[in-house]
Amino acid sequence: MRGGMRNAMPEQPAKIRSSNFEEVALGYTKGMAVDEAQRCLNCPKPRCVTGCPVNVEIPDFIAAVAAENFAKAIGILKRKNSLPAVCGRVCPQENQCESKCVLGMKEDPVAIGRIERFVADYAREYGLDNVADAKPSAKNKKVAIVGSGPSGLTAAGDLAKMGYNVTLFEALHAPGGVLMYGIPQFRLPKEIVQYEINALRNLGVKIIVNAVIGRTFTVKELMEEESFDAVYIGTGAGLPHFMNIEGENLNGVYSANEFLTRVNLMKAYKFPNVATPVYIGKRTAIVGAGNVAMDAARTAKRLGSEEVYIVYRRSEEEMPARKEEIGHAMEEGVILRLLNNPIRILDNGKGWVSGLECVKMELGEPDASGRRSPVPIKGSEYILDIDMVAMAIGQGPNPLIKQTTPDLEVNKRGNIIADAGNCATSIPGVFAGGDVVTGAATVISAMGAGKRAAAAIDAYLSK
């Protein structure tokens, strides 16, 4: 079969899933995955690979699925992507590989991400990816990876496969970075993340948690006292931004980062069985409209908030979140308050949130990014009746490494300056990539940086 209708993803019904933390998307069956793979046109000059930041050999793994050779498919996937079960769930394929699919010019593109997820899940269930790779020749070189998010995990895996002695340092109590603390259980089960991380342990990667680089060790100490030959910094962008409006210091105001970390990594959704209480308002406003905002809104809904609003100063067309996530949120009862901008958080007189004053907006001329700039409508101020606010308006890099590494060059936003091609920083032997360099981006783009860094570190240490 070639072309034809795209296979829909089975999902939990919205009324059921909005009150549980089980995965929303249920995954393709074997028959659906094979059928979807057989939609591929087997293009003589496939373009899908050009849309993948880690250059997965997409036509080859799709062809293996179409032939029902799933062991071959996972082998092809893992040649380039060490986290296929993760990427199959959270990557914005619609803007990457699938956007290049030739079939998509006239019909829906092949569901590359959904097939990738199926292959990873099938391989995990049936032990198809437990076949040990041939051990590489050990290199007498040590590499430190700072941060265990997607970029650090990818660099660690690639370097371990090359034979390097790799140690990965994580500041929190569980490895995984944003995959663990940022993305909710109902989108990315933590058991899957830890399964992928255990595969790195099996490659020989040593993981040290509760290690804050800049406090436990500085970058200089890693190289001079701990004798690491190279360091890769992949610490992401976990420092939340705020609007600096009145009332942001009230009880009931979160950064979305803190809220999601409490719920995802510290399992507040299992309280009191897990000792992490989390305050949930009856009426919640999430400020922002990216994927983090959608995650926070859907999480608040599941934890019992009766009304959840997305407050965003632009229109729906300009919302940066994935369309799928916006659709899921709306199906679950999240209310969009678009062309609205918060200007003040109200105090109930006891230090708690009692409302959010907003002003209505209209779109004016395009700004530097090409989006039309929102302009306040005079006299349109009103009070939104809420008792909890979560700010999801972006985040930047933690300044700790820069503060303790004076020779490390950063830009005005605090992002580490690194070469786009080889991830080299201003300090010889120190490399950096992912969100700590680019600002907040996607899981797969961070993984791409990790792969480039691993190749560059190999070249540097092979001189």
Side-chain angles (χ1 to χ4, degrees), residues 92-106:
Q93 292 94 1
E94 66 275 12
N95 298 326
Q96 295 176 334
C97 54
E98 292 178 13
S99 72
K100 307 292 185 183
C101 178
V102 172
L103 185 61
M105 296 173 67
K106 293 185 177 181

Side-chain angles (χ1 to χ4, degrees), residues 212-234:
V212 181
I213 302 306
R215 287 291 182 266
T216 310
F217 301 103
T218 64
V219 171
K220 183 178 181 180
E221 287 169 347
L222 286 175
M223 301 189 78
E224 295 184 358
E225 297 179 17
E226 300 300 315
S227 302
F228 283 98
D229 299 288
V231 175
Y232 178 63
I233 302 171

Side-chain angles (χ1 to χ4, degrees), residues 139-192:
K139 295 180 172 67
N140 190 27
K141 301 281 186 179
K142 293 172 57 181
V143 182
I145 309 292
V146 182
S148 67
S151 190
L153 293 174
T154 301
D158 282 13
L159 287 163
K161 290 174 184 177
M162 296 175 194
Y164 289 99
N165 184 335
V166 180
T167 302
L168 194 155
F169 295 91
E170 167 57 45
L172 298 177
H173 64 270
V178 69
L179 305 177
M180 287 296 289
Y181 71 73
I183 303 175
Q185 180 81 3
F186 55 81
R187 280 216 296 135
L188 179 62
K190 305 312 165 204
E191 300 79 14
I192 288 171

